Amino acid sequence: ELTPADILAVNMQGEPLSEGKPSAETGLHTQLYRRDANIGAVLHTHSPTVVLLSQIWQDDSLSITGWELQKAFAGETTHEGTVTFPIFPNDQDIDRLSAQVEDHMQQHGQGHAYLIRGHGVYTWGKDIAECYRHLEAIEHLLGYQLELLKIRQP
Ligand SMILES: [Zn+2]
């Protein structure tokens, strides 16, 4: 639904290339584009499923295994693998948060996506189609996790 008028181009430092004010979270996008030249698209949403699950999930990461839909992520070829989503605390200081994300990726690998607690999800791909596929998979897979938590409640 976006039109060119909704898009503001920025450089890799997040500075606008034309009139306008970039999103407060631009630094989280540019961190990904700077670190990996194969990333051609980054999507961020405030998906209710992700926001809710990230808020009640106690650990600082969420790993899933055994789901066919894991194969939606680029390079994942079997449900027998494990896909891990780190969960970072929300932070209004985007420079600090993006540095934390970068540090985590250097230590643990880039992965496919990360969550920000009580806020949303970032995911990326080689192009917008792959990125959107990842986003849709996250929506389903984390939706399953949320439903499992409800079912398993005593
Ligand atoms: Zn946001």
Side-chain angles (χ1 to χ4, degrees):
E1 296 178 9
L2 292 173
T3 69
D6 298 314
I7 306 291
L8 178 66
V10 299
N11 63 20
M12 287 295 196
Q13 284 68 51
E15 299 157 342
L17 299 177
S18 62
E19 199 75 12
K21 184 176 181 294
S23 158
E25 295 178 39
T26 300
L28 294 172
H29 292 255
T30 53
Q31 175 265 333
L32 288 158
Y33 290 118
R34 277 197 311 268
R35 83 177 325 271
D36 183 351
N38 295 313
I39 293 177
V42 175
L43 289 172
H44 167 57
T45 74
H46 301 154
S47 152
T49 298
V50 172
V51 171
L52 184 57
L53 184 61
S54 70
Q55 197 71 294
I56 62 174
W57 197 259
Q58 310 255 324
D59 298 334
D60 59 5
S61 71
L62 192 161
S63 294
I64 56 170
T65 188
W67 302 100
E68 181 70 7
L69 194 52
Q70 290 168 220
K71 290 160 59 181
F73 293 106
E76 302 292 337
T77 58
T78 170
H79 66 285
E80 294 173 329
T82 300
V83 175
T84 298
F85 307 110
I87 305 174
F88 298 99
N90 198 15
D91 193 340
Q92 300 305 316
D93 185 332
I94 297 303
D95 288 343
R96 183 169 57 204
L97 181 53
S98 64
Q100 190 182 358
V101 169
E102 177 60 33
D103 185 55
H104 184 277
M105 287 178 169
Q106 285 182 18
Q107 289 181 48
H108 303 282
Q110 189 164 282
H112 303 292
Y114 64 83
L115 314 185
I116 305 175
R117 198 176 300 282
H119 177 161
V121 59
Y122 275 82
T123 189
W124 47 88
K126 67 179 180 188
D127 54 29
I128 194 73
E130 183 177 277
C131 191
Y132 190 81
R133 191 180 77 228
H134 290 173
L135 192 62
E136 197 168 11
I138 290 162
E139 190 67 29
H140 283 269
L141 288 162
L142 296 191
Y144 303 159
Q145 299 305 308
L146 202 52
E147 288 300 319
L148 280 175
L149 287 174
K150 289 185 211 169
I151 292 165
R152 290 177 178 159
Q153 283 296 317

